[in-house]
Amino acid sequence: MAKQARAVQTWRSIVDAAASVFDDYGYERAAISEILRRAKVTKGALYFHFASKEAIAQAIMDEQTSTVEFEQEGSPLQSLVDGGQQFAFALRHNAMARAGTRLSIEGVFLGGPHPWGDWIDATARMLELGQERGEVFPQIDPMVSAKIIVASFTGIQLVSEADTGRADLREQVAEMWRHILPSIAHPGVIAHIKPEGRVDLAAQAREKAEREEQEARIAAEVKGAGSLPGEAGPRGGGAGRGTRAGQGADEADEEPAGAGAGVAAGGAV
């Protein structure tokens, strides 16, 4: 179980590091060597989990949809709006969302499913649910409308990025919904929809950060109050050597035979 957990953590480290690299440089300029540096893993560990840079990029595009959760209870349209605002917020604060979007826009299809497919399917499902609950006009084709919504969001976030570094993205997405909702939803439903989303995610994040900072400060004060005068911390020499040895063993466990061939096939280094 420990080995499995270590493998999951390594996979996570690689994907998170790669997301930051793709976000900074795009697909073509992203180097495997930079991903390795940020992930702090060996080439063998990386190629144990991913056959190539393309495979890492595909994993990131698959992961980006996990930044949004559409609530199934209540108003499907409000849940759809809230999901869009969740992703708008993620584009400002989450490298995974930005990297996945950048890879999709750059056309890195990698022989897999269309990069917008998951978003279109998820949006269409919410519109279908809206029809079942009487919010969305029955004559609306959910798949057609979903493609329009996803395409509109994509264009708006690109313009917002160019204009303000996405600082105004929440309001721009709200304006998108104000234009789209009258064409798909009953007027009585629209009156109860909040295009900005039901939650101010920025304010929520600030409150969370302030709460965590206060908790950390209290914990530090408690720890300091419990220390004896002149008390020294544990020596780290032996532990440090043991840690490095443990890391080497972990990496050896994950490195497959013939890893050198995988490196050669992996693209830029």
Side-chain angles (χ1 to χ4, degrees):
M1 292 298 293
K3 185 175 181 179
Q4 183 179 8
R6 187 167 63 245
V8 171
Q9 180 57 49
T10 300
W11 186 94
R12 183 79 263 166
S13 297
I14 294 168
V15 172
D16 288 344
S20 69
V21 174
F22 287 130
D23 179 32
D24 289 342
Y25 299 107
Y27 180 78
E28 293 297 334
R29 293 175 56 221
I32 290 292
S33 58
E34 181 61 14
I35 295 174
L36 292 172
R37 187 186 71 80
R38 297 190 189 188
K40 297 181 175 62
V41 301
T42 66
K43 288 182 180 179
L46 185 147
Y47 284 108
F48 175 82
H49 292 280
F50 299 99
S52 63
K53 185 170 78 169
E54 290 89 342
I56 303 174
Q58 186 64 61
I60 289 170
M61 287 195 287
D62 293 341
E63 279 275 300
Q64 65 171 318
T65 55
S66 66
T67 59
V68 172
E69 294 182 6
F70 293 111
E71 292 186 12
Q72 301 300 308
E73 302 298 326
S75 164
L77 279 179
Q78 184 64 68
S79 295
L80 187 57
V81 170
D82 291 346
Q85 291 293 5
Q86 285 178 36
F87 196 64
F89 183 79
L91 283 170
R92 295 195 62 196
H93 303 282
N94 188 314
M96 188 69 65
R98 291 192 299 272
T101 298
R102 180 167 183 170
L103 290 168
S104 299
I105 291 170
E106 289 181 352
V108 185
F109 302 152
L110 310 175
H114 191 284
W116 308 112
D118 288 343
W119 291 116
I120 292 170
D121 290 343
T123 301
R125 285 195 296 271
M126 295 306 294
L127 292 174
E128 290 171 356
L129 187 58
Q131 286 180 323
E132 293 174 8
R133 297 183 183 177
E135 290 189 347
V136 175
F137 293 135
Q139 68 271 23
I140 294 299
D141 184 326
M143 185 58 68
V144 171
S145 295
K147 289 179 180 179
I148 292 172
I149 291 169
V150 172
S152 298
F153 183 97
T154 302
I156 283 171
Q157 69 87 19
L158 281 173
V159 173
S160 176
E161 180 185 19
D163 284 349
T164 67
R166 298 193 179 102
D168 67 343
L169 186 53
R170 184 187 187 204
E171 180 55 32
Q172 293 303 315
V173 171
E175 285 296 338
M176 178 196 83
W177 284 115
R178 292 186 185 104
H179 281 74
I180 290 177
L181 285 172
S183 67
I184 65 173
H186 293 285
V189 173
I190 297 174
H192 299 285
I193 299 294
K194 296 181 178 180
E196 299 85 1
R198 284 176 288 193
V199 178
D200 186 340
L201 296 170
Q204 190 178 71
R206 286 194 300 270
E207 291 174 2
K208 181 181 178 181
E210 291 171 359
R211 183 169 62 252
E212 290 176 348
E213 182 181 355
Q214 183 179 14
E215 290 172 353
R217 185 169 59 251
I218 293 172
E221 291 173 354
V222 171
K223 183 178 179 180
S227 299
L228 295 176
E231 184 177 18
R235 295 182 180 180
R241 287 191 295 272
T243 300
R244 286 193 294 273
Q247 288 173 341
D250 294 348
E251 291 163 356
D253 287 344
E254 291 180 333
E255 185 166 353
V263 173
V269 294

